[in-house]
Amino acid sequence: MPDPHPRRPLRSAATVELVSLIVLLTNLATVHLPAVASLAGPLHGCAYLFTIGAVARDPQRTGRSVILACLPGIGGLLALHRLTHTGPLTVRAS
């Protein structure tokens, strides 16, 4: 039985990537605690790489969706939106 939500791991990784980047930037702009950076930094890096890999493996990927995924923070969610809302190309008869 096929997975009813095949992009759930991509959605999760893209969300973790964005949230961890927000945590890193907030930490940098405020108290700059090394413990926060040492936890959120690797988490952000892993989520970023997972997001790029998940988009690259998607059967409906395009070059633009992979390029979007490479943008730190918001790129994974933008690529997910592009994959979800762009269907196969169709030609209309005039």
Side-chain angles (χ1 to χ4, degrees), residues 76-87:
L77 292 173
L78 292 173
L80 179 65
H81 183 272
R82 183 172 181 84
L83 290 171
T84 306
H85 292 88
T86 304

Side-chain angles (χ1 to χ4, degrees), residues 35-69:
V36 172
S38 67
L39 176 67
L43 181 65
H44 172 71
C46 289
Y48 176 67
L49 292 175
F50 185 90
T51 299
I52 294 171
V55 171
R57 291 179 49 109
D58 193 285
Q60 293 180 330
R61 74 184 178 281
T62 62
R64 287 185 182 180
S65 59
V66 175
I67 290 170
L68 281 174

